Amino acid sequence: MMASIKGVPICKACCATNNNHRHCYYYSKQIGLSESGSRNLLNLRVQNKWECRLGGVLTKTQTATTPVEENDKPSVDGNGETQITEARGFHRDLQSLPRPLSAIDLSSSLSDGSKVRVAYQGLPGAYSEAAALKAYPKCETVPCDEFEAVFKAVELWLVDKAVLPIENSVGGSIHRNYDLLLFHRLHIVGEVQLVVNHCLLGLPGVRKEELKRVLSHPQALDQCEMTLNKLGVTKVSTNDSAGAAQITAAERVRDTGAIASVRAAEIYGLDVLAERIQDDTDNITRFLILAREPIIPGSDRPHKTSIVFSLEEGPGVLFKALAVFALRNINLSKIESRPQRYRPLRIVDDSNKGSAKYFDYLFYVDFEASMAEPRAQYALAHLQEIAKFLRVLGCYPIDTTL
């Protein structure tokens, strides 16, 4: 591919002093592009050159192969001629501009995350906070009252990312968050699988046999039903498990306990009366990591792609939609259907008497392939011919750690 050179007017110090912008040009020369196309865009090198001609006389030329740093300002020598030093780094304003995250950015953040602010629903000590700390061990966690507030925090640039529970191996899918994924324009950039360890907490010095009521999130109470029935306690629902621990610590009632995490016990000064009291020991919650910009999909490690689509009514339409993945040997790891909130019913014919009505559904699908793979691209192109609506929610590395 041949290199391209473009010239556009710019304003430099020399132009400002002479009030003449007609002879000041900025050249951007792109070199290093290969014939293989867009996949080699990462090999692109940009060579920038600006030239100022005052009265047709060239005064100074700069060729920069690295961006200009804020402190790299022109200096004046003894003869009054402008001297331009070599640039050394990115300008601060350029660093502040938003850009798509890359797979390298994600992997480096996963190992550090010291500068990342992550929003989650609940109070400190919630399982969502534990998932955020697993993804970004040194991040700053930001609690939010509701799931809607978590999305808003990212959209309003109050935080960098959000961690959102999407499904549990015992309780199933969290439908509210599926609906919010469609309503908001955030991108899935990762996932976290967290082993849930439900603990029975109480005030210091209290034995579990003394408890008469236990507070927690409704799902946690359901998952520990056998243990609670043996104790003969009254189950009281709260907004989240960490909130139950906070209430127990604040009320200081000896016969009141809570089901929450070990971290919640440490934060609110409670004793762990029993660990792993859930009925099913294999209790895992899957969380999604959301960001304002998508990551660049790679093929160096297993990836997952999440999509949502809708179909016209007809025989075998869903079969045809899912067949686009089977034809290309792409495994589907998740299928979830949700009714369309703004168009729940469809009337088949024009008659209002005795006409059949169908529910309009959206289908959420996770498939194990990267968008960088041709087979995934061909599958989605094929699906687009069948679906009346299609949106890619994100392509991200698969979390294989527990």
Side-chain angles (χ1 to χ4, degrees):
M1 183 180 296
M2 297 182 61
S4 61
I5 302 178
K6 296 181 179 180
V8 294
I10 63 170
C11 181
K12 291 293 182 180
C14 59
C15 299
T17 56
N18 293 278
N19 296 321
N20 189 346
H21 300 272
R22 293 178 297 173
H23 304 287
C24 186
Y25 293 89
Y26 178 85
Y27 295 95
S28 177
K29 181 179 181 182
Q30 298 181 352
I31 60 176
L33 278 177
S34 66
E35 295 293 343
S36 58
S38 60
R39 293 188 183 179
N40 291 326
L41 284 177
L42 294 180
N43 297 324
L44 175 65
R45 291 169 46 240
V46 180
Q47 187 178 57
N48 298 329
K49 177 184 296 185
W50 63 267
E51 298 179 1
C52 294
R53 294 181 176 88
L54 299 178
V57 180
L58 178 65
T59 59
K60 180 58 62 177
T61 299
Q62 176 198 24
T63 299
T65 57
T66 57
V68 180
E69 196 175 45
E70 184 179 71
N71 296 327
D72 295 332
K73 297 179 179 179
S75 59
V76 180
D77 61 9
N79 298 326
E81 183 177 355
T82 302
Q83 301 291 331
I84 300 179
T85 59
E86 182 182 359
R88 294 187 297 274
F90 283 102
H91 191 282
R92 183 177 60 188
D93 293 339
L94 295 180
Q95 287 182 327
S96 64
L97 293 176
R99 61 178 178 82
L101 298 173
S102 67
I104 297 178
D105 295 327
L106 181 62
S107 60
S108 62
S109 297
L110 286 171
S111 60
D112 184 13
S114 56
K115 297 182 180 180
V116 178
R117 287 170 54 86
V118 183
Y120 68 94
Q121 187 275 329
L123 295 175
Y127 292 107
S128 294
E129 185 192 36
L133 293 173
K134 180 183 177 182
Y136 306 98
K138 295 183 181 180
C139 72
E140 178 186 353
T141 55
V142 180
C144 300
D145 291 338
E146 300 176 352
F147 290 126
E148 179 75 25
V150 175
F151 282 85
K152 289 292 185 182
V154 182
E155 292 174 333
L156 297 176
W157 292 74
L158 300 177
V159 297
D160 303 298
K161 293 180 175 65
V163 169
L164 193 76
I166 198 67
E167 62 177 325
N168 178 264
S169 59
V170 178
S173 300
I174 302 176
H175 297 141
R176 172 60 176 162
N177 289 339
Y178 274 104
D179 297 337
L180 290 173
L181 281 174
L182 183 67
F183 183 76
H184 294 270
R185 300 297 297 184
L186 299 182
H187 303 269
I188 305 174
V189 297
E191 67 174 1
V192 180
Q193 296 190 77
L194 183 71
V195 177
V196 177
N197 175 21
H198 286 313
C199 301
L200 184 61
L201 312 181
L203 294 176
V206 173
R207 295 180 296 109
K208 63 180 180 180
E209 290 79 12
E210 300 178 41
L211 299 179
K212 294 183 179 179
R213 66 174 189 150
V214 172
L215 286 61
S216 195
H217 187 273
Q219 193 173 80
L221 295 174
D222 292 340
Q223 294 174 4
C224 304
E225 186 175 4
M226 294 177 61
T227 300
L228 298 179
N229 288 341
K230 289 180 181 178
L231 292 175
V233 297
T234 301
K235 294 176 283 188
V236 180
S237 298
T238 57
N239 291 333
D240 62 89
S241 57
Q246 184 188 56
I247 294 173
T248 301
E251 290 184 349
R252 311 295 298 177
V253 178
R254 289 182 60 85
D255 63 358
T256 299
I259 296 176
S261 64
V262 174
R263 176 175 168 80
E266 297 172 353
I267 293 175
Y268 301 107
L270 300 176
D271 284 350
V272 178
L273 308 183
E275 286 195 55
R276 296 178 179 85
I277 64 172
Q278 60 267 23
D279 301 339
D280 193 334
T281 55
D282 296 327
N283 191 338
I284 301 172
T285 299
R286 176 172 168 251
F287 295 81
L288 299 178
I289 303 174
L290 306 177
R292 288 178 292 272
E293 301 291 340
I295 64 171
I296 301 174
S299 56
D300 56 332
R301 55 185 293 191
H303 276 64
K304 183 183 293 183
T305 302
S306 297
I307 62 173
V308 56
F309 61 90
S310 62
L311 301 168
E312 294 288 351
E313 186 65 33
V317 177
L318 180 58
F319 168 79
K320 295 176 184 177
L322 300 181
V324 305
F325 302 102
L327 290 173
R328 295 165 179 87
N329 199 29
I330 298 177
N331 182 50
L332 304 183
S333 59
K334 174 73 174 179
I335 304 176
E336 184 75 27
S337 62
R338 294 290 298 152
Q340 295 197 47
R341 299 179 60 183
Y342 301 107
R343 190 184 173 188
L345 292 175
R346 180 189 306 172
I347 300 176
V348 177
D349 53 41
D350 296 332
S351 173
N352 291 325
K353 295 182 179 180
S355 60
K357 293 183 180 180
Y358 296 91
F359 286 94
D360 265 344
Y361 279 91
L362 293 165
F363 298 95
Y364 293 83
V365 170
D366 295 342
F367 62 86
E368 296 177 356
S370 170
M371 286 299 298
E373 301 179 56
R375 59 172 183 158
Q377 299 171 14
Y378 294 146
L380 291 185
H382 192 174
L383 178 60
Q384 198 166 20
E385 298 175 2
I386 304 171
K388 63 179 182 179
F389 164 76
L390 172 63
R391 177 180 159 193
V392 177
L393 299 173
C395 179
Y396 46 94
I398 298 176
D399 181 22
T400 57
T401 62
L402 287 176

